[in-house]
Amino acid sequence: MKPSGRDEIEKPSLRSIIIRGIKRKRYFIGLVVLPSLLTATYYYFVASDQYESTADYVVRRADAPQKSSGGAAALLGFGAPTGASADPYIVSDYLLSHDAVKSLRRDDNLVGRFRRTSIDFISALKSDDPSPEKLLKYYRDQVGVEQNLESGISQIKVRAFTPQDSYHIADKLLKMGEDRVNQINERTTRGQLSSAQNNLANAEKELANIQRKITLFRQKGGDINPTGSGKAQIELVSQLTASLASARARLNSLQGFISPSSPQYRAVAAQVSALQRQVDLQNARLAGAGNNIAVGLGTYEDLIVRQDFAAKRYAAAAAVLDEAKAQALRQQIYLVRVVDPNMPVKSLYPERGRIVITVFFSLLIAYAVGWLMLAGVREHKM
């Protein structure tokens, strides 16, 4: 006997089982499985390898107070500053700035390094002539500078699509940081020394001008030492005056004993007259009207006083310049390489396993939360 249709049991085919399973799990497959598979496909079969080169450096000021710190900085003698310092951020801010990108784009083919034909279409720079803003945004995704406030060490991290590119960019950035530090030092030194150098130049000019006037005065008067000549003239007048007084005393003493017509009396009287003429003449040279020694000596002594003041001003300006130079040296900042850039051997990015797992579990959690919320809404309607 043939079994009846009621007794006949049709076994489901494998295909129908798969189809029914897919229909039941279509939301899970569409929202979790497929995106995860697409992510894995891209990162494992399409995404280009990226190589990272790192370099460490220290930025410090010459007169910065230091504290003991471990690591390479301590071995080099560069401790972290005891207080907050903006010096490391000067370099890091520059290395991530439009200026750095502009320099790399002009001198090191930055755009070409991120548009090689071997780079996948998602990771590559999209345009061969990007705007400065878009290039800077892409550049900051590939280049980073980290500060370690405890040790004072800064680290450059560069990711590129060939080991040579990552190494070259990291090394170039270190050189650019050194150049920028030197430019800052030069501007600081020039700004601090400019005023002191101008003051010294003015003092030197004034001193030279006064010395030239003194030389002209000596040449005009035919006297290399007017002060000494003035003293000698005063001594001469004093001697003549003393001789005149002595001669007059002798003449007065003779008036009561001999006749004024006697040869002896007349000789003493002649001596008195001669001495009087010499005293009058020398007094006229010393302090008479017109161009006399007193006037010339006053002018000369005024020049000497001005020369002394100018010399003191010049010495003070020179001391200020020396101190400004010392202060500028103390305020110099230095970039010291702690670790040179490395040439990568193995690609570290993209982190394929971590990314795929993160995407899968993130979508799974989102799907579970959504399913629970939807189940709660359905239960509430029933």
Side-chain angles (χ1 to χ4, degrees):
M1 295 178 60
K2 293 183 179 180
S4 63
R6 182 179 300 177
D7 297 330
E8 185 178 357
I9 300 175
E10 294 183 357
K11 292 183 179 181
S13 65
L14 179 60
R15 179 181 178 183
S16 62
I17 294 174
I18 293 175
I19 293 175
R20 285 198 299 269
I22 291 175
K23 288 182 178 179
R24 286 197 301 268
K25 301 295 183 180
R26 61 184 180 276
Y27 294 112
F28 176 80
I29 294 173
L31 297 177
V32 178
V33 177
L34 285 179
S36 299
L37 288 176
L38 289 174
T39 301
T41 301
Y42 167 72
Y43 279 103
Y44 279 99
F45 298 102
V46 179
S48 302
D49 291 337
Q50 296 186 38
Y51 300 84
E52 182 176 79
S53 180
T54 61
D56 296 344
Y57 66 89
V58 172
V59 178
R60 67 180 298 275
R61 196 173 293 270
D63 63 346
Q66 299 178 10
K67 67 179 181 180
S68 177
S69 61
L75 294 177
L76 290 174
F78 295 103
T82 55
S85 173
D87 295 335
Y89 295 98
I90 293 175
V91 176
S92 63
D93 186 65
Y94 167 70
L95 295 181
L96 298 176
S97 68
H98 279 287
D99 288 344
V101 172
K102 182 179 179 181
S103 178
L104 289 171
R105 183 177 190 174
R106 180 185 64 245
D107 302 330
D108 293 275
N109 192 27
L110 181 65
V111 174
R113 294 181 188 277
F114 291 130
R115 281 188 55 79
R116 297 187 183 278
T117 56
S118 59
I119 305 175
D120 69 272
F121 65 96
I122 294 179
S123 302
L125 185 63
K126 299 302 183 290
S127 171
D128 58 358
D129 187 22
S131 65
E133 292 76 15
K134 289 184 178 180
L135 181 58
L136 178 64
K137 182 178 179 181
Y138 184 90
Y139 169 83
R140 288 180 174 176
D141 290 336
Q142 302 297 123
V143 177
V145 181
E146 297 179 357
Q147 310 286 343
N148 189 323
L149 298 180
E150 183 176 352
S151 65
I153 296 177
S154 303
Q155 184 177 67
I156 298 174
K157 293 183 177 181
V158 178
R159 283 186 296 174
F161 299 95
T162 67
Q164 294 77 14
D165 284 346
S166 62
Y167 169 81
H168 180 86
I169 294 174
D171 186 64
K172 181 63 176 180
L173 288 176
L174 273 180
K175 293 178 181 178
M176 290 169 59
E178 292 169 348
D179 292 341
R180 179 48 59 101
V181 165
N182 293 335
Q183 291 173 8
I184 293 173
N185 289 335
E186 182 180 355
R187 286 198 296 265
T188 301
T189 301
R190 186 168 59 248
Q192 289 182 339
L193 298 185
S194 177
S195 177
Q197 289 173 337
N198 289 337
N199 290 336
L200 181 62
N202 292 334
E204 183 178 8
K205 183 178 179 180
E206 180 181 358
L207 180 60
N209 185 42
I210 294 174
Q211 289 177 336
R212 185 168 55 254
K213 288 182 179 180
I214 292 175
T215 300
L216 291 175
F217 182 87
R218 287 170 174 170
Q219 292 175 346
K220 184 178 180 181
D223 189 357
I224 194 172
N225 187 9
T227 301
S229 300
K231 290 181 179 179
Q233 182 68 23
I234 293 173
E235 291 177 359
L236 176 62
V237 170
S238 298
Q239 292 174 0
L240 290 174
T241 302
S243 298
L244 177 61
S246 177
R248 282 178 175 174
R250 288 198 305 272
L251 183 63
N252 290 334
S253 65
L254 292 175
Q255 285 180 355
F257 298 98
I258 61 176
S259 171
S261 60
S262 66
Q264 185 179 4
Y265 185 90
R266 292 172 65 182
V268 174
Q271 183 183 13
V272 170
S273 298
L275 288 172
Q276 184 64 55
R277 286 194 299 271
Q278 285 295 323
V279 169
D280 293 340
L281 177 62
Q282 296 303 325
N283 278 330
R285 290 186 58 193
L286 183 64
N291 187 15
N292 54 61
I293 293 178
V295 174
L297 186 60
T299 302
Y300 179 78
E301 289 180 343
D302 178 65
L303 290 174
I304 293 299
V305 171
R306 292 173 60 188
Q307 181 191 40
D308 183 63
F309 177 79
K312 291 180 179 179
R313 180 186 173 189
Y314 177 82
V320 170
L321 179 60
D322 290 339
E323 177 60 26
K325 290 180 178 179
Q327 182 69 16
L329 289 176
R330 289 193 296 268
Q331 292 184 354
Q332 297 283 294
I333 59 177
Y334 303 93
L335 188 150
V336 181
R337 296 192 182 199
V338 178
V339 178
D340 285 324
N342 65 299
M343 178 68 73
V345 176
K346 181 181 179 181
S347 64
L348 300 178
Y349 299 93
E351 298 175 302
R352 295 175 171 87
R354 184 183 64 83
I355 294 175
V356 172
I357 292 174
T358 300
V359 169
F360 175 77
F361 281 103
S362 298
L363 293 175
L364 182 62
I365 292 172
Y367 174 81
V369 172
W371 184 84
L372 289 175
M373 292 177 62
L374 184 61
V377 171
R378 289 177 178 176
E379 184 179 353
H380 181 71
K381 289 182 177 181
M382 292 178 60

